[in-house]
Amino acid sequence: MNKPTKVLILGSGALKIGEAGEFDYSGSQALKALKEEGIRTILINPNIATVQTSEGMADDVYFLPVTPYFVEEVIKKEQPDGILVAFGGQTALNCAVALYRAGVFEKYNLPVLGTPVQSIIDTEDRDIFKEKLDQIGVLTARSVAVTTMDDALAAGEKIGFPIIVRAAFALGGLGSGFANNMDELRALAEKSFTTSDQILVEESLKGWKEVEYEVVRDAFDNCITVCNMENFDPIGIHTGESIVVAPSQTLSNREYHKLRSIGIKTIRHLGIVGECNIQYALDPVSEDYRVIEVNARLSRSSALASKATGYPLAFVAAKLSLGYSLAELKNSVTQTTTAFFEPALDYVVVKLPRWDLGKFAGVQRLIGSAMKSVGEVMAIGKSFEEAIQKGLRMLDTGKRGFVGNAPEQADNETIDRLLNQPNEERIFAINQAFEAGYTIERVHELTRIDLWFLQRLHGIFELGQRLATGREQGLWSLDVDLLREAKKAGFSDQQLAVQLLGADDVKADELRVRAHRKALGVLPVVKQIDTLAAEFPAKTNYLYLTYHGTENDLAPETERSIAVLGSGVYRIGSSVEFDWCGVNAVQTAAAEGYKTLIINYNPETVSTDYDVSDRLYFEELSYERVMDILDFEHPTGVILSTGGQIPNNLATRLEEAGAPILGTSAASIDMAENRHKFSSIMDELGIAQPRWNELTSLADMHAFVGEVGYPVLIRPSYVLSGAAMNVVSNPHELEEFLQTAAEVSAEYPVVVSEFIQEAKEIELDAVADHGEIVSYAISEHVEFAGVHSGDATMYYPPQRVYVGTIRKLKNIAEKIARRYDISGPFNIQFLEKNGVIRVIECNIRASRSYPFVSKISGNNLVTKATQVLLGVPVTRDDSERVYDLPFVGVKAPQFSFTRLPGADPVLRVDMVSTGEVGCLGDTAEEALLKSMLSVGYKIPQKTVLISGGPITSKVALLSSAQLLVKKGYQIFATQGTHRFFAENNVPSSLLFWPDDHQEPNVLTYLREKKIDLVINIPKNLSKGELDNDYKIRRTAIDFGIPLLTNARLASKFIRAFCSLEMADLKIKSWNEYKAM
Amino acid sequence: MENSKLVKLILEDGTEIQGQSFGAHMSVAGEVVFSTAMTGYPENLTDPSFAGQILVLTYPIVGNYGVPGEDLYESISKIFESDKIHIAGLVVNYYSDEHSHWNAAKSLGDWLKEYNIPGIAGVDTRMLTKILREKGAMLGKIVADEQDVPLHDPNLDNLVAQVSPPEVKHYGQGQHKIVLVDCGTKTNIIRCFLERDVELIRVPWDYDFTTLDYDGLFLSNGPGDPKMCEATIHNLQKALQQDKPIFGICLGSQLMGLAAGGDTFKLKYGHRSHNQPVRLSGTQRSYITSQNHGFAVDTDTLPAEWTMLFENLNDGTCEGIKHKTKPFFSTQFHPEAAGGPQDTEFMFDDFIEAVKEYKAAGKQG
């Protein structure tokens, strides 16, 4: 074997819809696999919040865009002798194909390890793909690849409707959809052509089963399938949008192995070396099939398959790309048997997607062949019922499972629609249908979901009814047999409480059920995932809990141990950054000599790799399940401050139950989370905050607003990423908003505060030990307050904050840390305007920016926090020295608006970004430009459209406009902006507003791509303005034109690209920055 | 399942597990073994190699796709691996009493009832599997309604004699005349031959096939201890003196080993799964195979002219043997699959090739 000595690995950049945390998992595993071989690894990935970009993973990291230009520059500089392109999703793959086509790999004599690029192209180009499969008699859907609209329409005619349109070379099914007639086809094709030069018009297989296999092949042509997966939702819904079950449940042996054999034959023919995924449509009434696609890389499905089986696909794929044969590698679970085997599961896994569509104004709520979900969960059980009910709770959308949720009234017409037109709530509509008396067959007709799944769900429904009818005897109607049956069907204690006792006092009733259940001896057992269904002993502790069993697979940990609660499902506002925090907490606890336990259920994470902790509990982060585990394990301590809001919300209840929670007391956490208590304490400490009031009546509210004036900011307590938080500008909006907010959080009061405009927002991330700060980092938002901190662009260290301000911030933080007696991580958000500093909020937990500031400063806040939590003596570090850093970090948000048709791509107080990057530069401009290029912005070629919004932002943009003109850009402007620029001697060309219906119209220019960059600043919230602005913003997104909606950020961006050429963006590695 | 009756599974080590009855509500004794296959219960349950065994399925949800209706291919079953259920009893975690499949004719429970086979559900099958893994396959019984039955070791019976057909049968009109010694053959072996231009003569286990005119000899799979098949071994020894190609599968492989002069032994808990990795000895080529056996050839005891053809990648046991010069070979695994992976079906092609070569050489000679 001729092993390389230095390998370059491409990451996937910021988390976005269609490309999320799964690639942190796959990249991290690849790095571990290479490291084990003594190979030097260089990673390119601007996603600073990932585990793979952490100290100790790659030998060096470039926080640079994964684009052909930057990757070639790194190749030129580093001269690696191998490159891995299959571990960074579609971003890395597309980049690799472009580099291959440009002859870059050849030029630098750089071998692509693993699957050859030509094989990748064979799978990505639909025409070639179909032809390759035809060669071996493998069936694909009848389809025609076209590059023009006329050909698309002709193809539609030939194949017959309904048809599906897909864009080639697109991640997560972007630009795909169904068309039932020529008009729909025309509309769809037009959109698809904006994302891809080639689109595919093909026969619709709607209603067929969707089945996937993960296939692994080595260079010696040995080939295995590691896992098959069956979609609960039939074809027509992207697999990333589907509920997915592993292994398949409704396939006979003949079907299972027919598809398996076809997969192996296909993958051999395509010549893939490493790991890939093959997707099929299977006729529900015969053995007829079609191959839909092959993903010649690690994918979301492969991450899921890895977690579902315990087979480390990415790790093995990396080894295979070095030339190992499968049989030479060991099964890392048993450590005695071979990696050449196909896992046997003795449990069932259900994956469910999480959507956050509610956060996007105007978005289309239906789901289909393009991905819209932002995260996923994986639930493990020994029955489908047990797993799916766990999974529905894991989504953390307030559901208690399949039944027992807050009742929703719907007439049959609505139910029919919810069942027939796939949407995020469909699974719950199935229960509504059962409640309304629908038969299983009727639900099947409407959904085409296999009867077997519906039978199982109906079983849960019936059991729920049985429990509910016993209510007159309350808890005492719950005998051991019924209780066991319900627990085996995945009912939580809380669900049982609601079914038996009603929903009046759920949390207290849940405790009663729990006590009753424990008294009856009905306890879950701990089972191991071992890849071989107990045929061989397992060395790893990959665990889940089930009620289908009588024996625990292992005894509780006897050495001193720490349990770390993970961050759960990725959603807008909480994703990979908290996984990084959790992994770092575990590593620190291990380094301090503790055995470590992780509880988490997100298959897209590194924390759920079974080699990260001593015991991985792939389980719910609910009070019930966490207590089940703590009751069993009795760990020395529990850390819940590194997993974001889900574990933090458990603090009070866990503490009341006597759990050994480390760090700040639950009471303190509550006093910070509860806005009312928090504000009182700020008053007590004499710390300024925006004036606020607690909503008890509308009349009081109007009086308060009369005092502070509009706009006001409204937010319920216990928010994460500003859920249900909004700025309202007039009384009408206020009342409208309060109605929806009350639904979101009835248990906590709603707080209204004055909204300070044009204030600077500054954040402090810190660690305190018994109230004394031992490390901190202050970062500065580019945007004024009003943009959610998760959507804001941030400098670290701060660039334009007075030393005096920083001193004041620190003093305030010290006061707060002492008052709350904080031990562990915390974060404070400040406003600064005209020298006055106000505190907006304080979170007594690790925050989103922890990885960013930790990596840049070199002071790992999580390590420090964990040491504090463990009682290890720590000293105050030299946080101040960060102002001497010879470089700057900029964190920029990634938006996924292209994937959310209809959504208004504008920044508000409610978070809408799906990911982030962090880049380094010698100057703030350089770091900003790199980070913005990393999240998909492009330096405009010739033209910029400015629609400047209110006068203040027009003024703010004026000098930028002058700069653009000086650099030779042509400026287009809408009416008011055009007039303003003319008055200030800045030449611009007028474009009419969309509703002027007059040419030259701004929409025409956007559709014809005559504009390279759109700057649209929303003026106010009035309806007409909103429609016009909305149309401009949405059209820009739909036609792939970079869009900025914040004047401050737009100015900084323009200043950066006008002052720097591409060649000025230094190709410097993290180590080089650190050595400065 | 709320109203189902309770039954007990009792192992010879005293382990007692309660569960719900499905299938026939009755008591039965047998050898308790586990299979980790995730699909294929219609195939598994009709595999004669399971005769006398109480089968524990580690995959927790069973019965989902029901049981297909009978459908014939030539004169044999198109779906099932024999004409009846051969297991003595079935043990599962969760029995799906409702099923869904376009090809299903009945539920698993009804099918078991039809053949008077008891099933027990609600069992911690993982715990049971771990017991069998640690202590080895052991005797056990399913006890319904306190109707106790004595433990019984099926390996002391001549199971092959029980499952082997009483008379000779002919199939197909292909140009290669193959004798199939039926020690409990799976029907997919017959299907695999019939797809390959074969005239098949299926003979009972103790039939003296040396009296027949044939081009190649095939030794089938079957249940129990190979040493019980003295008559087959005796006939086989005669065939080994000749040069006609011989191919054996599973029990057939063990019989070949014994006839060649080697020995067999009982594995602790056997190989019963669809994911057994085997390597073609001396190469980098490996295959995933379907297996169902409790005994294996001890390669150390093979005479010098024999060698290991395949080896198990997990425990190194013998997965097939071959003669160094003559066209005699065998696989411990099941190239005919059904259920399980179909990756080694080429073994049938290799055998037919050997037959062709033998015939061509004969013509020249």
Side-chain angles (χ1 to χ4, degrees):
Chain A
M1 203 185 307
N2 226 341
K3 277 194 296 192
T5 55
K6 185 182 192 184
V7 170
L8 187 64
I9 298 173
L10 305 186
S12 65
L15 268 62
K16 44 191 116 37
I17 293 180
E19 210 173 48
E22 62 269 18
F23 300 110
D24 191 19
Y25 146 79
S26 50
S28 297
Q29 288 223 333
L31 291 170
K32 283 182 199 171
L34 264 52
K35 201 175 188 112
E36 205 178 76
E37 300 291 327
I39 294 168
R40 188 172 159 76
T41 51
I42 311 290
L43 172 67
I44 306 181
N45 190 357
N47 192 336
I48 202 161
T50 54
V51 175
Q52 60 181 263
T53 57
S54 297
E55 206 99 38
M57 292 298 293
D59 290 295
D60 209 349
V61 180
Y62 285 87
F63 294 109
L64 287 174
V66 183
T67 56
Y69 171 81
F70 287 99
V71 174
E72 181 176 355
E73 290 299 312
V74 173
I75 292 170
K76 197 189 288 175
K77 183 178 155 200
E78 290 282 351
Q79 299 285 329
D81 55 0
I83 182 167
L84 286 177
V85 303
F87 298 83
Q90 197 69 31
T91 297
L93 213 60
N94 286 351
C95 182
V97 169
L99 290 167
Y100 172 80
R101 290 200 162 129
V104 172
F105 297 137
E106 215 175 347
K107 182 173 160 194
Y108 295 95
N109 195 20
L110 176 60
V112 175
L113 307 177
T115 302
V117 179
Q118 189 54 53
S119 297
I120 295 170
I121 293 171
D122 292 349
T123 61
E124 295 275 318
D125 182 304
R126 306 281 174 174
D127 261 352
I128 304 177
F129 180 64
K130 204 171 142 51
E131 195 188 309
K132 292 288 276 187
L133 267 58
D134 278 350
Q135 289 166 4
I136 50 167
V138 170
L139 303 178
T140 48
R142 282 182 298 129
S143 69
V144 184
V146 295
T147 51
T148 68
M149 180 60 78
D150 285 348
D151 288 351
L153 297 176
E157 192 113 322
K158 192 175 125 203
I159 291 166
F161 293 93
I163 53 164
I164 181 171
V165 173
R166 295 165 181 277
F169 287 97
L171 48 91
L174 185 64
S176 301
F178 287 94
N180 292 305
N181 53 52
M182 278 294 177
D183 286 343
E184 286 179 25
L185 173 59
R186 191 175 291 112
L188 204 54
E190 190 169 325
K191 224 169 110 258
S192 296
F193 278 128
T194 65
T195 58
S196 174
D197 294 338
Q198 189 199 65
I199 66 164
L200 198 78
V201 180
E202 72 182 33
E203 71 175 304
S204 165
L205 301 167
K206 231 172 185 170
W208 286 36
K209 293 180 186 184
E210 186 165 351
V211 184
E212 307 176 54
Y213 286 71
E214 293 302 314
V215 188
V216 180
R217 179 175 172 270
D218 68 20
F220 305 92
D221 207 21
N222 295 308
C223 204
I224 57 172
T225 65
V226 162
C227 185
N228 95 334
M229 292 171 271
E230 176 180 8
N231 287 9
F232 168 93
D233 302 289
I235 286 275
I237 301 175
H238 189 279
T239 183
E241 302 286 274
S242 292
I243 294 173
V244 176
V245 179
S248 61
Q249 295 300 313
T250 73
L251 269 60
S252 69
N253 178 73
R254 286 170 61 100
E255 290 162 337
Y256 183 106
H257 286 286
K258 179 179 183 172
L259 298 185
R260 178 186 172 280
S261 294
I262 291 166
I264 288 177
K265 184 167 148 188
T266 303
I267 269 46
R268 283 190 165 140
H269 186 64
L270 291 169
I272 282 153
V273 177
E275 205 276 346
C276 72
N277 158 275
I278 182 165
Q279 293 175 15
Y280 301 91
L282 177 66
D283 187 351
V285 291
S286 81
E287 287 175 10
D288 198 9
Y289 75 94
R290 301 283 186 279
V291 170
I292 305 168
E293 64 175 14
V294 167
N295 283 306
R297 55 168 170 83
L298 276 296
S299 62
R300 180 181 328 97
S301 294
S302 61
L304 178 66
S306 287
K307 307 290 180 178
T309 61
Y311 192 101
L313 281 166
F315 184 85
V316 169
K319 293 276 187 181
L320 297 184
S321 64
L322 297 176
Y324 282 101
S325 79
L326 272 163
E328 285 176 295
L329 304 173
K330 282 275 170 254
N331 175 342
S332 48
V333 168
T334 61
Q335 291 170 19
T336 54
T337 58
T338 172
F340 180 82
F341 80 109
E342 302 191 348
L345 281 59
D346 58 4
Y347 49 86
V348 62
V349 154
V350 179
K351 175 220 87 168
L352 298 102
R354 152 101 186 199
W355 292 272
D356 269 334
L357 296 179
K359 285 181 166 283
F360 298 93
V363 75
Q364 290 165 18
R365 299 298 285 258
L366 297 182
I367 61 172
S369 54
M371 228 180 124
K372 291 179 180 175
S373 59
V374 291
E376 62 188 32
V377 302
M378 183 179 102
I380 307 167
K382 280 201 185 268
S383 67
F384 175 74
E385 295 89 320
E386 185 176 46
I388 193 141
Q389 291 228 81
K390 273 188 186 183
L392 289 169
R393 288 190 288 273
M394 288 170 173
L395 289 173
D396 198 40
T397 52
K399 302 290 187 188
R400 299 188 179 101
F402 181 64
V403 299
N405 300 311
E408 278 176 45
Q409 297 304 322
D411 54 22
N412 286 10
E413 200 184 322
T414 310
I415 293 175
D416 284 0
R417 181 176 49 77
L418 289 172
L419 293 177
N420 193 233
Q421 299 176 5
N423 57 82
E424 42 183 330
E425 296 287 315
R426 177 154 88 167
I427 180 107
F428 301 108
I430 293 173
N431 184 48
Q432 284 180 300
F434 290 151
E435 283 176 351
Y438 285 48
T439 61
I440 293 174
E441 286 69 26
R442 177 69 186 140
V443 175
H444 170 69
E445 276 165 30
L446 289 163
T447 60
R448 310 314 297 177
I449 293 169
D450 194 280
L451 286 169
W452 188 82
F453 295 115
L454 297 175
Q455 289 158 0
R456 309 275 77 71
L457 293 176
H458 195 260
I460 299 173
F461 160 74
E462 280 185 328
L463 187 48
Q465 301 279 307
R466 267 164 60 204
L467 289 162
T469 51
R471 205 183 285 180
E472 54 273 19
Q473 298 115 17
L475 215 46
W476 304 108
S477 62
L478 201 56
D479 61 63
V480 175
D481 287 344
L482 182 61
L483 179 56
R484 233 176 231 297
E485 192 183 343
K487 295 307 276 185
K488 282 182 170 184
F491 279 78
S492 67
D493 289 345
Q494 199 177 100
Q495 231 176 339
L496 288 170
V498 170
Q499 296 301 109
L500 291 162
L501 306 168
D504 298 334
D505 193 4
V506 176
K507 284 185 176 166
D509 287 345
E510 177 189 356
L511 293 180
R512 287 185 194 107
V513 171
R514 183 178 179 84
H516 182 64
R517 172 169 69 72
K518 285 170 79 173
L520 292 177
V522 178
L523 300 174
V525 292
V526 179
K527 293 287 183 190
Q528 225 169 354
I529 288 181
D530 64 7
T531 71
L532 286 164
E535 190 184 353
F536 289 90
K539 294 277 195 314
T540 52
N541 293 314
Y542 179 9
L543 311 165
Y544 67 101
L545 271 62
T546 176
Y547 279 90
H548 292 267
T550 47
E551 182 200 58
N552 293 309
D553 267 347
L554 76 182
E557 179 60 63
T558 49
E559 290 178 48
R560 55 181 201 153
S561 62
I562 297 295
V564 175
L565 307 196
S567 60
V569 62
Y570 286 177
R571 80 285 299 279
I572 289 180
S574 173
S575 60
V576 68
E577 61 277 5
F578 291 112
D579 198 51
W580 178 87
C581 290
V583 168
N584 274 267
V586 160
Q587 288 169 344
T588 308
E592 297 294 343
Y594 290 88
K595 292 286 180 186
T596 56
L597 269 70
I598 285 178
I599 309 174
N600 199 5
Y601 55 76
N602 184 335
E604 307 176 284
T605 57
V606 176
S607 65
T608 55
D609 269 359
Y610 48 74
D611 58 354
V612 168
S613 58
D614 294 304
R615 292 187 175 202
L616 166 63
Y617 281 92
F618 209 101
E619 268 299 341
E620 290 178 65
L621 287 162
S622 62
Y623 169 77
E624 174 180 353
R625 193 36 48 98
V626 171
M627 280 310 298
D628 288 339
I629 294 167
L630 298 183
D631 281 351
F632 176 72
E633 291 282 2
H634 293 292
T636 319
V638 180
I639 295 178
L640 42 70
S641 50
T642 53
Q645 204 58 32
I646 292 179
N648 217 41
N649 286 349
L650 292 173
T652 306
R653 300 188 74 202
L654 291 180
E655 193 169 271
E656 276 167 12
I661 294 168
L662 301 179
T664 317
S665 76
S668 282
I669 294 172
D670 182 59
M671 282 194 291
E673 297 276 348
N674 183 308
R675 299 289 312 173
H676 186 62
K677 294 177 188 170
F678 178 70
S679 292
S680 311
I681 290 174
M682 290 307 104
D683 288 347
E684 169 201 319
L685 295 177
I687 295 170
Q689 47 183 321
R691 281 173 292 169
W692 65 278
N693 204 343
E694 187 186 293
L695 170 72
T696 46
S697 76
L698 270 178
D700 289 349
M701 187 59 45
H702 289 305
F704 173 71
V705 177
E707 190 184 314
V708 300
Y710 285 102
V712 290
L713 177 70
I714 305 188
R715 61 167 108 197
S717 279
Y718 283 87
V719 292
L720 180 71
S721 71
M725 178 164 69
N726 215 340
V727 175
V728 296
S729 319
N730 55 56
H732 173 68
E733 282 178 12
L734 176 65
E735 273 169 62
E736 201 174 50
F737 176 78
L738 289 176
Q739 279 161 10
T740 55
E743 283 171 19
V744 174
S745 181
E747 282 181 60
Y748 298 96
V750 172
V751 167
V752 178
S753 51
E754 112 187 80
F755 180 73
I756 296 161
Q757 299 181 77
E758 296 191 3
K760 188 170 278 207
E761 191 162 341
I762 302 167
E763 293 203 35
L764 175 130
D765 292 312
V767 177
D769 187 2
H770 294 91
E772 294 303 319
I773 291 179
V774 289
S775 188
Y776 71 92
I778 290 171
S779 45
E780 173 196 2
H781 291 199
V782 172
E783 298 85 351
F784 280 137
V787 172
H788 189 282
S789 66
D791 288 347
T793 312
M794 284 167 67
Y795 293 124
Y796 178 71
Q799 298 298 299
R800 282 164 178 269
V801 179
Y802 293 114
V803 177
T805 305
I806 285 173
R807 192 182 307 120
K808 284 185 208 160
L809 295 179
K810 259 167 52 188
N811 288 341
I812 293 172
E814 277 162 1
K815 273 191 203 167
I816 291 176
R818 282 191 199 116
R819 172 63 177 80
Y820 282 95
D821 194 21
I822 294 175
S823 275
F826 70 105
N827 156 278
I828 303 175
Q829 290 169 25
F830 300 94
L831 291 182
E832 188 266 343
K833 188 175 184 180
N834 303 330
V836 179
I837 294 167
R838 295 176 175 87
V839 168
I840 320 175
E841 64 177 61
C842 171
N843 296 300
I844 304 186
R845 54 167 173 79
S847 80
R848 185 178 305 107
S849 37
Y850 261 51
F852 170 64
V853 296
S854 292
K855 285 179 187 178
I856 288 172
S857 70
N859 298 324
N860 189 322
L861 290 176
V862 173
T863 302
K864 197 101 178 179
T866 308
Q867 286 168 338
V868 167
L869 296 176
L870 297 175
V872 177
V874 294
T875 48
R876 181 166 178 143
D877 63 26
D878 48 1
S879 302
E880 275 81 7
R881 274 196 47 206
V882 78
Y883 302 103
D884 295 335
L885 274 186
F887 56 90
V888 183
V890 169
K891 179 163 101 71
Q894 169 80 50
F895 299 98
S896 297
F897 292 122
T898 41
R899 304 204 143 258
L900 299 165
D904 187 357
V906 70
L907 307 192
R908 297 216 179 96
V909 283
D910 204 356
M911 183 167 164
V912 287
S913 61
T914 54
E916 65 190 33
V917 298
C919 295
L920 306 178
D922 290 353
T923 63
E925 287 75 24
E926 188 194 349
L928 182 95
L929 195 52
K930 281 177 177 172
S931 70
M932 292 190 70
L933 294 176
S934 294
V935 292
Y937 286 95
K938 293 185 186 83
I939 295 174
Q941 297 285 314
K942 291 195 286 282
T943 53
V944 179
L945 167 71
I946 302 180
S947 178
I951 186 66
T952 46
S953 56
K954 283 192 178 87
V955 173
L957 285 166
L958 188 62
S959 62
S960 306
Q962 285 161 341
L963 201 56
L964 285 172
V965 171
K966 210 162 96 190
K967 287 291 281 187
Y969 284 99
Q970 184 182 4
I971 296 179
F972 291 98
T974 48
Q975 210 169 9
T977 310
H978 175 68
R979 199 184 313 122
F980 176 78
F981 282 171
E983 287 161 7
N984 289 281
N985 301 318
V986 176
S988 69
S989 313
L990 173 71
L991 292 181
F992 286 101
W993 285 103
D995 68 356
D996 286 340
H997 301 292
Q998 194 178 341
E999 297 296 334
N1001 192 283
V1002 61
L1003 293 189
T1004 314
Y1005 270 60
L1006 290 171
R1007 288 189 184 128
E1008 290 174 3
K1009 294 208 166 191
K1010 287 180 178 166
I1011 289 168
D1012 300 328
L1013 172 68
V1014 176
I1015 294 165
N1016 173 282
I1017 315 300
K1019 192 180 283 171
N1020 57 46
L1021 300 175
S1022 80
K1023 191 83 175 100
E1025 192 72 43
L1026 198 62
D1027 282 354
N1028 261 327
D1029 275 339
Y1030 168 77
K1031 276 187 191 134
I1032 292 176
R1033 292 191 290 264
R1034 194 59 232 179
T1035 308
I1037 293 297
D1038 287 340
F1039 285 81
I1041 303 168
L1043 167 75
L1044 288 163
T1045 64
N1046 183 285
R1048 298 257 297 174
L1049 181 61
S1051 307
K1052 298 279 184 220
F1053 181 52
I1054 290 168
R1055 199 153 295 279
F1057 72 72
C1058 285
S1059 62
L1060 294 166
E1061 303 289 329
M1062 284 297 267
D1064 297 326
L1065 301 179
K1066 301 218 172 61
I1067 308 300
K1068 254 158 106 168
S1069 73
W1070 193 16
N1071 284 340
E1072 288 173 279
Y1073 282 109
K1074 283 191 276 195
M1076 278 172 82
Chain B
M1 299 277 282
E2 51 194 290
N3 298 317
S4 61
K5 297 178 196 162
L6 297 178
V7 278
K8 272 184 204 156
L9 174 69
I10 301 170
L11 301 186
E12 65 176 308
D13 71 350
T15 306
E16 237 185 80
I17 300 167
Q18 202 172 55
Q20 292 95 38
S21 167
F22 73 109
H25 186 66
M26 57 176 286
S27 302
V28 73
E31 183 186 21
V32 184
V33 297
F34 69 87
S35 166
T36 66
M38 297 189 289
T39 62
Y41 54 84
E43 289 85 351
N44 257 335
L45 270 51
T46 53
D47 177 351
S49 297
F50 277 118
Q53 293 177 329
I54 294 172
L55 178 62
V56 180
L57 295 179
T58 62
Y59 189 70
I61 311 167
V62 182
N64 305 7
Y65 53 89
V67 177
E70 186 55 288
D71 199 355
L72 291 183
Y73 169 78
E74 298 278 319
S75 59
I76 54 166
S77 170
K78 190 177 172 184
I79 307 278
F80 302 111
E81 288 309 306
S82 69
D83 53 10
K84 65 171 205 167
I85 299 180
H86 280 282
I87 58 161
L90 186 63
V91 182
V92 302
N93 167 66
Y94 175 108
Y95 166 58
S96 177
D97 52 355
E98 295 159 305
H99 62 272
S100 159
H101 197 269
W102 60 272
N103 200 20
K106 61 191 97 168
S107 73
L108 170 61
D110 286 346
W111 189 49
L112 287 170
K113 266 185 206 150
E114 217 174 280
Y115 288 96
N116 229 15
I117 308 290
I120 172 170
V123 172
D124 188 337
T125 46
R126 184 173 170 86
M127 174 190 76
L128 195 53
T129 302
K130 282 167 69 189
I131 294 173
L132 299 174
R133 175 184 86 198
E134 301 302 329
K135 298 186 181 172
M138 62 175 84
L139 303 185
K141 54 192 174 184
I142 292 173
V143 178
D145 298 335
E146 306 296 322
Q147 304 250 304
D148 203 2
V149 286
L151 289 173
H152 174 71
D153 185 355
N155 294 309
L156 301 176
D157 300 339
N158 191 336
L159 293 168
V160 167
Q162 291 172 20
V163 300
S164 184
E167 72 248 355
V168 177
K169 286 182 197 164
H170 290 260
Y171 304 87
Q173 275 106 37
Q175 56 166 312
H176 310 300
K177 202 178 279 185
I178 307 294
V179 167
L180 181 154
V181 182
D182 185 350
C183 298
T185 193
K186 285 166 68 183
T187 43
N188 206 41
I189 290 174
I190 300 175
R191 289 178 217 120
C192 285
F193 277 120
L194 294 184
E195 281 160 16
R196 287 173 170 78
D197 200 13
V198 161
E199 179 192 342
L200 198 68
I201 309 157
R202 179 182 184 180
V203 304
W205 69 285
D206 53 355
Y207 189 86
D208 185 3
F209 48 79
T210 56
T211 60
L212 298 173
D213 169 34
Y214 65 89
D215 303 322
L217 176 65
F218 176 81
L219 308 162
S220 85
N221 64 296
D225 188 339
K227 289 174 185 164
M228 290 282 180
C229 302
E230 281 175 30
T232 324
I233 296 166
H234 177 72
N235 291 328
L236 187 52
Q237 275 165 340
K238 288 191 271 180
L240 290 175
Q241 301 306 315
Q242 305 173 18
D243 297 320
K244 288 181 188 173
I246 309 176
F247 175 27
I249 288 179
C250 196
L251 180 80
S253 177
Q254 296 155 17
L255 295 175
M256 201 184 285
L258 289 169
D263 197 7
T264 57
F265 66 101
K266 192 169 193 293
L267 296 165
K268 193 171 178 189
Y269 50 90
H271 296 151
R272 291 174 192 86
S273 69
H274 291 173
N275 64 347
Q276 291 290 334
V278 305
R279 180 181 3 230
L280 181 62
S281 296
T283 72
Q284 285 278 35
R285 181 42 80 87
S286 305
Y287 303 95
I288 301 291
T289 64
S290 175
Q291 299 199 11
N292 174 16
H293 65 110
F295 292 83
V297 173
D298 181 353
T299 35
D300 293 344
T301 65
L302 285 175
E305 61 272 25
W306 288 81
T307 181
M308 189 149 71
L309 178 57
F310 293 100
E311 66 197 80
N312 189 296
L313 278 170
N314 285 341
D315 61 13
T317 56
C318 177
E319 290 289 358
I321 58 173
K322 68 167 184 179
H323 192 277
K324 284 178 181 167
T325 54
K326 293 184 180 188
F328 306 155
F329 57 90
S330 70
T331 65
Q332 183 58 61
F333 54 86
H334 288 267
E336 82 286 3
Q342 305 152 342
D343 305 358
T344 49
E345 201 182 307
F346 63 85
M347 292 302 296
F348 288 95
D349 297 324
D350 289 1
F351 178 54
I352 297 300
E353 274 311 305
V355 168
K356 281 184 195 164
E357 273 174 41
Y358 166 75
K359 283 159 76 176
K363 271 176 201 139
Q364 281 163 13

